[in-house]
Amino acid sequence: MENEETNQAADDSEIRVEKLVYGGDALARLDGRIILTPFLLPGEIARVETSPYRSGLLTGKVAKRLSDHPERAEPRCPYFGRCGGCQYQHARYPYQLDQKREILREVIRRIGHFEAPDDIEIISGYEWEYRNRSQFHFIGGELGYLEARSHRLCPVYSCPISSPRVNEVLAALQEMRQDRRFPRFVQSLEVFTNETDAQLNVRAERPVAKRFFEWAAERIPGLVKSSLDYPVGRYVYRVGHKSFFQVNRFLIEDLVRVVLPDTGGELALDLYAGVGLFTLPLTERFGSVLAVESGAGAVRDLLFNADRAGVPVQAAQSDVGQFLAAYDRRPDFVVADPPRGGLGKQVVSELLRLKPPRLTIVSCDPSTLARDLAPLLQGGYSLQKLTLVDLFPQTFHIESVAQLAL
């Protein structure tokens, strides 16, 4: 009976927000229980409708906001609040950055059980029109993004965080999907662009006919048939259909600058190297550079990019953990840019065995970064610098660069 009364009382409750947490929600407490509610800011008071979530948590939906934070902003996007792409458009951008820094600190403290450096540098750029790659889902004859925590589609006709060229391609696709020639079995269409050319990556239940891409080329000027060339600094990178590339067109050069060490040496390893974004400039500082990447297409792109640039690079197509387990030479520097899952126990263990004197980790998830850093610090490394490079404005995603040394 007591639990029933508690749940009933929580159905429509007044809360005061304590803080923002990783994932984009605002955290508040009610009768000792945690409520996670989107689109609120710290200190704001709101009446929320709650429902059970998981592990004793509640989720809230704002029924009425009773106070406003001074950093609250008017969202630019008409789909904000429904579309699952952005979480922070209701906050002014400098405040978003401050909050991300505090979230990064909190996650490191909670998961890693150590304190982040006092000074976490923030590198940011223009907070709109930054995405060079966007994926649009095709469901029920409509094209758009998925709603938050849902498989329901939010149809979109423009996206303020996507680049002008992405939006041009989206407009063309919105016209095309109304034509009977548009394949109804398509699941998603991903647009990637260097702001001149565009690449269209299609995921479908079965192969899409060649004539669809020919038709798309007629409707989308500059559409490439295969790979796309993306210039960054003094290098040009070929990026194939299945190859990863950084998404923020304004901050790629800044990210490279932060990752590269001030001094060189004999040997550098680039782990999870992709198409060689860090590999190529590393050749300017190191006598030998070895890139490790599991994707066959990305390795082909990397070797092509190195050959075109005229720089000496070795590449190994391999799982990073398996490669390191069989590798015995001590590198002077290692950079690792793993996927969201982080390095993991095996890679961390092998790095502790190899003991490179300098190690830089590029992370897109503070939770896995904190998990990976803890044993490295216990193994003798010190965290020299932590930089937050805000590749994803208006969203909860946090990209950071951790520079370690023995």
Side-chain angles (χ1 to χ4, degrees), residues 123-339:
I123 295 175
S124 62
Y126 184 48
E127 67 267 34
W128 303 103
E129 300 181 345
Y130 63 85
R131 290 193 66 96
N132 58 28
R133 186 188 298 267
S134 297
Q135 183 183 51
F136 303 101
H137 296 268
F138 185 67
I139 300 175
E142 297 280 357
L143 198 61
Y145 295 126
L146 295 180
E147 295 182 8
R149 299 191 182 101
S150 170
H151 294 293
R152 294 189 301 270
L153 188 79
C154 174
V156 298
Y157 291 83
S158 65
C159 174
I161 65 170
S162 293
S163 76
R165 189 75 173 98
V166 169
N167 277 293
E168 289 174 7
V169 177
L170 172 60
L173 292 173
Q174 285 287 16
E175 290 183 0
M176 291 173 64
R177 58 103 185 160
Q178 301 177 60
D179 192 296
R180 60 180 179 81
R181 290 175 289 177
F182 194 91
R184 301 292 122 179
F185 55 87
V186 163
Q187 296 169 311
S188 67
L189 300 106
E190 182 187 71
V191 180
F192 177 54
T193 180
N194 58 15
E195 285 308 291
T196 301
D197 299 322
Q199 183 185 82
L200 188 62
N201 301 312
V202 179
R203 186 167 62 89
E205 296 171 0
R206 59 181 186 270
V208 177
K210 180 181 178 181
R211 60 179 176 273
F212 169 77
F213 295 98
E214 293 172 345
W215 176 41
E218 295 172 3
R219 300 299 303 272
I220 303 171
L223 187 68
V224 298
K225 292 182 178 180
S226 55
S227 58
L228 181 145
D229 281 344
Y230 203 107
V232 180
R234 58 172 289 193
Y235 299 105
V236 177
Y237 297 88
R238 186 181 80 177
V239 183
H241 281 283
K242 296 183 179 181
S243 296
F244 169 79
F245 202 74
Q246 295 292 343
V247 74
N248 190 313
R249 66 194 182 104
F250 300 127
L251 292 179
I252 299 175
E253 286 190 54
D254 292 273
L255 179 64
V256 173
R257 175 179 55 80
V258 171
V259 165
L260 293 184
D262 293 331
T263 58
E266 292 185 9
L267 172 64
L269 296 186
D270 183 2
L271 307 179
Y272 314 93
V275 301
L277 179 64
F278 305 133
T279 311
L280 271 58
L282 280 171
T283 63
E284 301 171 19
R285 290 168 167 80
F286 292 87
S288 179
V289 178
L290 174 55
V292 184
E293 166 60 42
S294 62
V299 170
R300 287 193 295 269
D301 288 338
L302 186 154
L303 291 172
F304 177 89
N305 295 331
D307 184 65
R308 177 165 59 183
V311 296
V313 164
Q314 294 177 287
Q317 183 192 339
S318 173
D319 170 82
V320 170
Q322 294 175 2
F323 172 85
L324 292 179
Y327 193 75
D328 289 321
R329 186 178 172 188
R330 188 189 191 197
D332 299 295
F333 174 74
V334 171
V335 58
D337 185 7

